[in-house]
Amino acid sequence: MAKNKAHEHIDLIEAAKHKAQLMSHMSETTHKVGDVRHDLLLSIRDLKLHFETIRGPVQAVDGVNFDLVTNKAVVVVGESGCGKSSLAKAVLRLLPRNVAHYSGEVILHNIDTMKLSDEEFRAQIRWIKMSMVPQAAMNSLNPVLRVGDQVAEPMVVHCGMKKNDAMELAALMFNNVGVPVDFLVRYPFELSGGMRQRVAIAMSLITGPDLVILDEPTSALDVLTQANIFNLLKRIKANLDTSFILITHDISTSSELADIVAVMYAGQIVEVCESHRFFSKPRHPYSAKLMASVPRLREREEPEFIEGTPPSLINPPTGCRFKERCDRRFKKCEVEPPVYCFGEDRVKCWLFEGEGGVEGS
């Protein structure tokens, strides 16, 4: 019985994805770019997002570049305040009012979404091809609407599905993320924090988007529920070719889903590496420090810590932004380092000068 429900769920999601794709092609206005790899889902180039404050502009995202192919998951790791959540908002264009600068390229399915108007982006991209589970997702639900209606709403609005069918799909999604079906008629204040977070995850997956951005999706959940959620994400990824951008502080948990790891520091991506190489031998000194801070179950070595604090994003230092905390610093670190390429891997550090090709050269 459970197996039949799982198959039924997959069929409904595939139908929803097909409908969403048809809806996205109804618009006559598209902004395609040149030839790209057939398996390339998302390409981000020189993405910048700065916020205006009383003390000056905060350079939260400052020249970010990375690619994501279909059916892969990239995990973005880094300390608090490094710009991870701002990166997610920049990709999905969820911008606050105090934006000082927003530029770059976000190319999804060979369409530069930065050239779409706000209405085109809402109708063609947001929650159809890209969705998000925001940080503190359990507080993002509307307190005066039943949670079932909130989860079903994207299917009604974006895919034209009838309310009854959308509610049936919402019930199946609840079952998959571990929420009792009778909770469909409850209000958010009647659910625990963990349950509200699982409802938000169900809402992000219901339209079957090609890309889901997860900002600390399991931070309020117990260990067993975390494992269930990651198993769900892996199953969705395998069966539906869904790609993920996972933003997290928990490096050990992220290894469950990661195909690629992107390390962010002070608004910049300092390393992009395939997960199996990153977790065994990270290149950038900051990446190595992050990995050294993770406790090991069967090793006697105590976890290390990174001395100092991250630089201010209002007035970031010139040259390498990690230099003040780096134990491998040398004179050339006073100059902005280029990005060196090692196949599909990238590292922004002078230590690798002469070992890899320079990106863009």
Side-chain angles (χ1 to χ4, degrees):
M1 185 71 176
K3 187 176 288 187
N4 291 335
K5 279 193 172 183
H7 286 306
E8 183 182 0
H9 167 68
I10 296 300
D11 291 340
L12 284 168
I13 287 288
E14 286 179 335
K17 177 182 278 192
H18 180 62
K19 285 187 179 182
Q21 290 172 343
L22 289 177
M23 290 291 291
S24 69
H25 289 305
M26 288 175 65
S27 173
E28 294 180 358
T29 306
T30 56
H31 300 271
K32 292 190 176 182
V33 296
D35 293 336
V36 294
R37 290 168 50 185
H38 293 297
D39 63 342
L40 187 62
L41 173 66
L42 179 72
S43 180
I44 295 175
R45 291 291 175 267
D46 196 27
L47 184 61
K48 296 181 180 180
L49 177 59
H50 300 172
F51 302 117
E52 192 63 60
T53 67
I54 296 175
R55 296 173 55 197
V58 176
Q59 301 174 32
V61 180
D62 198 26
V64 166
N65 300 278
F66 70 84
D67 295 329
L68 178 61
V69 299
T70 300
N71 196 27
K72 295 292 183 181
V74 58
V75 173
V76 182
V77 298
E79 293 169 283
S80 296
C82 70
K84 302 186 302 297
S85 295
S86 295
L87 172 61
K89 292 175 182 176
V91 172
L92 206 54
R93 207 190 287 186
L94 297 173
L95 307 177
R97 295 180 180 179
N98 64 327
V99 172
H101 180 78
Y102 179 49
S103 65
E105 294 182 348
V106 179
I107 300 170
L108 181 72
H109 286 308
N110 202 23
I111 297 174
D112 189 352
T113 64
M114 296 288 282
K115 295 180 179 179
L116 299 175
S117 67
D118 289 342
E119 180 57 30
E120 288 171 337
F121 189 88
R122 186 200 66 79
Q124 299 180 37
I125 304 297
R126 188 184 296 128
W127 235 266
I128 296 176
K129 293 184 177 180
M130 282 196 291
S131 67
M132 181 180 178
V133 179
Q135 197 169 24
M138 60 186 180
N139 298 322
S140 65
L141 298 171
N142 191 322
V144 298
L145 295 178
R146 290 184 172 89
V147 293
D149 293 331
Q150 295 185 59
V151 172
E153 184 180 24
M155 295 304 302
V156 176
V157 173
H158 292 294
C159 302
M161 183 176 282
K162 292 180 180 179
K163 180 68 177 293
N164 290 340
D165 293 336
M167 289 298 292
E168 182 181 350
L169 182 56
L172 289 170
M173 283 305 307
F174 271 33
N175 182 64
N176 274 276
V177 298
V179 179
V181 175
D182 61 338
F183 281 26
L184 283 168
V185 296
R186 295 194 182 186
Y187 291 93
F189 67 84
E190 297 180 287
L191 275 62
S192 67
M195 284 294 181
R196 290 200 298 268
Q197 193 146 4
R198 279 180 270 189
V199 167
I201 293 172
M203 192 187 306
S204 73
L205 294 171
I206 194 166
T207 59
D210 298 307
L211 173 63
V212 178
I213 301 173
L214 304 150
D215 193 354
E216 300 283 0
T218 60
S219 57
L221 306 179
D222 60 81
V223 175
L224 289 177
T225 306
Q226 285 184 11
N228 290 334
I229 291 298
F230 273 102
N231 286 335
L232 167 67
L233 295 176
K234 287 188 286 187
R235 190 166 70 248
I236 294 289
K237 177 170 168 279
N239 293 333
L240 302 178
D241 292 336
T242 304
S243 298
F244 294 99
I245 296 177
L246 173 63
I247 294 169
T248 185
H249 297 94
D250 192 341
I251 296 176
S252 57
T253 303
S254 69
S255 63
E256 287 290 313
L257 190 66
D259 297 300
I260 302 165
V261 178
V263 182
M264 199 164 185
Y265 185 80
Q268 298 179 337
I269 297 290
V270 297
E271 181 171 1
V272 178
C273 184
E274 291 192 11
S275 60
H276 66 277
R277 283 196 291 270
F278 177 84
F279 291 117
S280 60
K281 193 175 181 181
R283 289 188 172 93
H284 197 280
Y286 177 62
S287 305
K289 289 287 188 181
L290 282 180
M291 288 302 301
S293 69
V294 178
R296 263 66 170 185
L297 185 62
R298 294 181 177 85
E299 292 185 14
R300 294 185 178 181
E301 294 182 11
E302 293 187 2
E304 298 181 17
F305 65 94
I306 306 175
E307 295 183 357
T309 58
S312 169
L313 296 182
I314 294 176
N315 187 24
T318 58
C320 174
R321 296 187 178 183
F322 185 61
K323 63 186 179 185
E324 299 297 334
R325 307 172 72 189
C326 183
D327 54 12
R328 303 177 68 184
R329 174 184 175 181
F330 63 108
K331 187 175 181 180
K332 208 163 188 178
C333 296
E334 299 296 331
V335 180
E336 178 84 9
V339 176
Y340 293 102
C341 306
F342 299 85
E344 297 295 323
D345 297 347
R346 304 284 187 272
V347 61
K348 187 180 176 69
C349 181
W350 282 115
L351 291 171
F352 298 92
E353 184 179 19
E355 294 184 28
V358 177
E359 185 176 55
S361 63

PDB file of all heavy atoms in Angstrom, residues 297-315:
ATOM      1  N   LEU A 297      34.367  10.884  14.781  1.00  0.00           N
ATOM      2  CA  LEU A 297      33.866   9.911  15.741  1.00  0.00           C
ATOM      3  C   LEU A 297      34.964   8.995  16.265  1.00  0.00           C
ATOM      4  O   LEU A 297      35.013   8.675  17.446  1.00  0.00           O
ATOM      5  CB  LEU A 297      32.746   9.083  15.097  1.00  0.00           C
ATOM      6  CG  LEU A 297      32.025   8.087  15.992  1.00  0.00           C
ATOM      7  CD1 LEU A 297      31.315   8.821  17.131  1.00  0.00           C
ATOM      8  CD2 LEU A 297      31.019   7.271  15.177  1.00  0.00           C
ATOM      9  N   ARG A 298      35.876   8.573  15.392  1.00  0.00           N
ATOM     10  CA  ARG A 298      36.864   7.560  15.780  1.00  0.00           C
ATOM     11  C   ARG A 298      38.298   8.095  15.736  1.00  0.00           C
ATOM     12  O   ARG A 298      39.231   7.348  15.556  1.00  0.00           O
ATOM     13  CB  ARG A 298      36.737   6.338  14.862  1.00  0.00           C
ATOM     14  CG  ARG A 298      35.411   5.608  15.027  1.00  0.00           C
ATOM     15  CD  ARG A 298      35.326   4.398  14.127  1.00  0.00           C
ATOM     16  NE  ARG A 298      34.087   3.654  14.333  1.00  0.00           N
ATOM     17  CZ  ARG A 298      32.940   3.931  13.751  1.00  0.00           C
ATOM     18  NH1 ARG A 298      32.864   4.959  12.905  1.00  0.00           N
ATOM     19  NH2 ARG A 298      31.867   3.207  13.991  1.00  0.00           N
ATOM     20  N   GLU A 299      38.439   9.410  15.883  1.00  0.00           N
ATOM     21  CA  GLU A 299      39.779   9.999  15.910  1.00  0.00           C
ATOM     22  C   GLU A 299      39.988  10.732  17.224  1.00  0.00           C
ATOM     23  O   GLU A 299      39.059  11.324  17.781  1.00  0.00           O
ATOM     24  CB  GLU A 299      39.950  10.966  14.724  1.00  0.00           C
ATOM     25  CG  GLU A 299      39.970  10.262  13.376  1.00  0.00           C
ATOM     26  CD  GLU A 299      40.251  11.236  12.239  1.00  0.00           C
ATOM     27  OE1 GLU A 299      40.688  12.372  12.532  1.00  0.00           O
ATOM     28  OE2 GLU A 299      40.047  10.855  11.083  1.00  0.00           O
ATOM     29  N   ARG A 300      41.214  10.692  17.704  1.00  0.00           N
ATOM     30  CA  ARG A 300      41.524  11.313  18.986  1.00  0.00           C
ATOM     31  C   ARG A 300      41.853  12.801  18.851  1.00  0.00           C
ATOM     32  O   ARG A 300      41.898  13.515  19.850  1.00  0.00           O
ATOM     33  CB  ARG A 300      42.685  10.581  19.650  1.00  0.00           C
ATOM     34  CG  ARG A 300      42.352   9.146  20.054  1.00  0.00           C
ATOM     35  CD  ARG A 300      43.493   8.512  20.821  1.00  0.00           C
ATOM     36  NE  ARG A 300      43.155   7.155  21.257  1.00  0.00           N
ATOM     37  CZ  ARG A 300      43.970   6.383  21.965  1.00  0.00           C
ATOM     38  NH1 ARG A 300      45.183   6.837  22.308  1.00  0.00           N
ATOM     39  NH2 ARG A 300      43.578   5.168  22.333  1.00  0.00           N
ATOM     40  N   GLU A 301      42.111  13.254  17.650  1.00  0.00           N
ATOM     41  CA  GLU A 301      42.460  14.656  17.455  1.00  0.00           C
ATOM     42  C   GLU A 301      41.268  15.549  17.792  1.00  0.00           C
ATOM     43  O   GLU A 301      40.141  15.291  17.378  1.00  0.00           O
ATOM     44  CB  GLU A 301      42.896  14.902  16.004  1.00  0.00           C
ATOM     45  CG  GLU A 301      44.190  14.209  15.631  1.00  0.00           C
ATOM     46  CD  GLU A 301      44.593  14.532  14.199  1.00  0.00           C
ATOM     47  OE1 GLU A 301      43.981  15.439  13.607  1.00  0.00           O
ATOM     48  OE2 GLU A 301      45.531  13.896  13.688  1.00  0.00           O
ATOM     49  N   GLU A 302      41.540  16.588  18.556  1.00  0.00           N
ATOM     50  CA  GLU A 302      40.488  17.528  18.901  1.00  0.00           C
ATOM     51  C   GLU A 302      40.186  18.450  17.721  1.00  0.00           C
ATOM     52  O   GLU A 302      41.085  18.789  16.945  1.00  0.00           O
ATOM     53  CB  GLU A 302      40.907  18.373  20.112  1.00  0.00           C
ATOM     54  CG  GLU A 302      41.033  17.576  21.400  1.00  0.00           C
ATOM     55  CD  GLU A 302      41.285  18.487  22.588  1.00  0.00           C
ATOM     56  OE1 GLU A 302      41.316  19.726  22.390  1.00  0.00           O
ATOM     57  OE2 GLU A 302      41.452  17.958  23.693  1.00  0.00           O
ATOM     58  N   PRO A 303      38.924  18.843  17.567  1.00  0.00           N
ATOM     59  CA  PRO A 303      38.577  19.768  16.480  1.00  0.00           C
ATOM     60  C   PRO A 303      39.342  21.088  16.625  1.00  0.00           C
ATOM     61  O   PRO A 303      39.574  21.573  17.737  1.00  0.00           O
ATOM     62  CB  PRO A 303      37.071  19.984  16.661  1.00  0.00           C
ATOM     63  CG  PRO A 303      36.605  18.801  17.446  1.00  0.00           C
ATOM     64  CD  PRO A 303      37.745  18.422  18.330  1.00  0.00           C
ATOM     65  N   GLU A 304      39.734  21.654  15.497  1.00  0.00           N
ATOM     66  CA  GLU A 304      40.418  22.939  15.496  1.00  0.00           C
ATOM     67  C   GLU A 304      39.405  24.070  15.423  1.00  0.00           C
ATOM     68  O   GLU A 304      38.221  23.852  15.198  1.00  0.00           O
ATOM     69  CB  GLU A 304      41.385  23.013  14.309  1.00  0.00           C
ATOM     70  CG  GLU A 304      42.494  21.968  14.349  1.00  0.00           C
ATOM     71  CD  GLU A 304      43.434  22.097  13.160  1.00  0.00           C
ATOM     72  OE1 GLU A 304      43.410  23.165  12.506  1.00  0.00           O
ATOM     73  OE2 GLU A 304      44.179  21.149  12.892  1.00  0.00           O
ATOM     74  N   PHE A 305      39.890  25.283  15.619  1.00  0.00           N
ATOM     75  CA  PHE A 305      39.042  26.452  15.450  1.00  0.00           C
ATOM     76  C   PHE A 305      39.801  27.488  14.625  1.00  0.00           C
ATOM     77  O   PHE A 305      41.030  27.444  14.508  1.00  0.00           O
ATOM     78  CB  PHE A 305      38.616  27.033  16.803  1.00  0.00           C
ATOM     79  CG  PHE A 305      39.753  27.593  17.622  1.00  0.00           C
ATOM     80  CD1 PHE A 305      40.077  28.941  17.548  1.00  0.00           C
ATOM     81  CD2 PHE A 305      40.499  26.770  18.452  1.00  0.00           C
ATOM     82  CE1 PHE A 305      41.127  29.455  18.286  1.00  0.00           C
ATOM     83  CE2 PHE A 305      41.551  27.272  19.203  1.00  0.00           C
ATOM     84  CZ  PHE A 305      41.867  28.625  19.125  1.00  0.00           C
ATOM     85  N   ILE A 306      39.044  28.405  14.031  1.00  0.00           N
ATOM     86  CA  ILE A 306      39.650  29.445  13.199  1.00  0.00           C
ATOM     87  C   ILE A 306      39.792  30.704  14.046  1.00  0.00           C
ATOM     88  O   ILE A 306      38.798  31.245  14.541  1.00  0.00           O
ATOM     89  CB  ILE A 306      38.794  29.731  11.948  1.00  0.00           C
ATOM     90  CG1 ILE A 306      38.521  28.438  11.190  1.00  0.00           C
ATOM     91  CG2 ILE A 306      39.484  30.741  11.047  1.00  0.00           C
ATOM     92  CD1 ILE A 306      37.585  28.602  10.008  1.00  0.00           C
ATOM     93  N   GLU A 307      41.009  31.164  14.213  1.00  0.00           N
ATOM     94  CA  GLU A 307      41.239  32.355  15.034  1.00  0.00           C
ATOM     95  C   GLU A 307      40.685  33.603  14.336  1.00  0.00           C
ATOM     96  O   GLU A 307      40.610  33.679  13.111  1.00  0.00           O
ATOM     97  CB  GLU A 307      42.744  32.531  15.287  1.00  0.00           C
ATOM     98  CG  GLU A 307      43.356  31.406  16.124  1.00  0.00           C
ATOM     99  CD  GLU A 307      44.824  31.663  16.420  1.00  0.00           C
ATOM    100  OE1 GLU A 307      45.353  32.677  15.916  1.00  0.00           O
ATOM    101  OE2 GLU A 307      45.433  30.857  17.140  1.00  0.00           O
ATOM    102  N   GLY A 308      40.326  34.579  15.160  1.00  0.00           N
ATOM    103  CA  GLY A 308      39.856  35.850  14.616  1.00  0.00           C
ATOM    104  C   GLY A 308      38.384  35.802  14.222  1.00  0.00           C
ATOM    105  O   GLY A 308      37.673  34.829  14.473  1.00  0.00           O
ATOM    106  N   THR A 309      37.936  36.857  13.578  1.00  0.00           N
ATOM    107  CA  THR A 309      36.551  36.975  13.127  1.00  0.00           C
ATOM    108  C   THR A 309      36.514  37.339  11.653  1.00  0.00           C
ATOM    109  O   THR A 309      37.469  37.916  11.122  1.00  0.00           O
ATOM    110  CB  THR A 309      35.808  38.055  13.931  1.00  0.00           C
ATOM    111  OG1 THR A 309      36.499  39.310  13.791  1.00  0.00           O
ATOM    112  CG2 THR A 309      35.722  37.690  15.399  1.00  0.00           C
ATOM    113  N   PRO A 310      35.428  37.021  10.956  1.00  0.00           N
ATOM    114  CA  PRO A 310      35.314  37.393   9.538  1.00  0.00           C
ATOM    115  C   PRO A 310      35.347  38.905   9.373  1.00  0.00           C
ATOM    116  O   PRO A 310      34.935  39.649  10.273  1.00  0.00           O
ATOM    117  CB  PRO A 310      33.949  36.823   9.123  1.00  0.00           C
ATOM    118  CG  PRO A 310      33.658  35.761  10.139  1.00  0.00           C
ATOM    119  CD  PRO A 310      34.266  36.228  11.414  1.00  0.00           C
ATOM    120  N   PRO A 311      35.820  39.392   8.243  1.00  0.00           N
ATOM    121  CA  PRO A 311      35.894  40.842   8.015  1.00  0.00           C
ATOM    122  C   PRO A 311      34.510  41.447   7.814  1.00  0.00           C
ATOM    123  O   PRO A 311      33.548  40.759   7.470  1.00  0.00           O
ATOM    124  CB  PRO A 311      36.730  40.953   6.735  1.00  0.00           C
ATOM    125  CG  PRO A 311      36.472  39.678   6.012  1.00  0.00           C
ATOM    126  CD  PRO A 311      36.320  38.630   7.085  1.00  0.00           C
ATOM    127  N   SER A 312      34.410  42.746   8.023  1.00  0.00           N
ATOM    128  CA  SER A 312      33.159  43.462   7.782  1.00  0.00           C
ATOM    129  C   SER A 312      32.872  43.492   6.288  1.00  0.00           C
ATOM    130  O   SER A 312      33.770  43.741   5.471  1.00  0.00           O
ATOM    131  CB  SER A 312      33.262  44.895   8.317  1.00  0.00           C
ATOM    132  OG  SER A 312      32.168  45.674   7.879  1.00  0.00           O
ATOM    133  N   LEU A 313      31.620  43.245   5.922  1.00  0.00           N
ATOM    134  CA  LEU A 313      31.231  43.307   4.518  1.00  0.00           C
ATOM    135  C   LEU A 313      30.881  44.723   4.085  1.00  0.00           C
ATOM    136  O   LEU A 313      30.596  44.959   2.911  1.00  0.00           O
ATOM    137  CB  LEU A 313      30.039  42.379   4.266  1.00  0.00           C
ATOM    138  CG  LEU A 313      30.311  40.887   4.495  1.00  0.00           C
ATOM    139  CD1 LEU A 313      29.072  40.063   4.177  1.00  0.00           C
ATOM    140  CD2 LEU A 313      31.486  40.415   3.658  1.00  0.00           C
ATOM    141  N   ILE A 314      30.912  45.666   5.033  1.00  0.00           N
ATOM    142  CA  ILE A 314      30.723  47.068   4.674  1.00  0.00           C
ATOM    143  C   ILE A 314      32.005  47.622   4.064  1.00  0.00           C
ATOM    144  O   ILE A 314      31.973  48.371   3.091  1.00  0.00           O
ATOM    145  CB  ILE A 314      30.304  47.890   5.914  1.00  0.00           C
ATOM    146  CG1 ILE A 314      28.919  47.437   6.387  1.00  0.00           C
ATOM    147  CG2 ILE A 314      30.297  49.392   5.608  1.00  0.00           C
ATOM    148  CD1 ILE A 314      28.451  48.128   7.655  1.00  0.00           C
ATOM    149  N   ASN A 315      33.120  47.238   4.635  1.00  0.00           N
ATOM    150  CA  ASN A 315      34.413  47.688   4.119  1.00  0.00           C
ATOM    151  C   ASN A 315      35.374  46.504   4.101  1.00  0.00           C
ATOM    152  O   ASN A 315      36.303  46.427   4.906  1.00  0.00           O
ATOM    153  CB  ASN A 315      34.964  48.826   4.992  1.00  0.00           C
ATOM    154  CG  ASN A 315      36.212  49.445   4.397  1.00  0.00           C
ATOM    155  OD1 ASN A 315      36.448  49.381   3.192  1.00  0.00           O
ATOM    156  ND2 ASN A 315      37.032  50.029   5.253  1.00  0.00           N
TER     157      ASN A 315
END
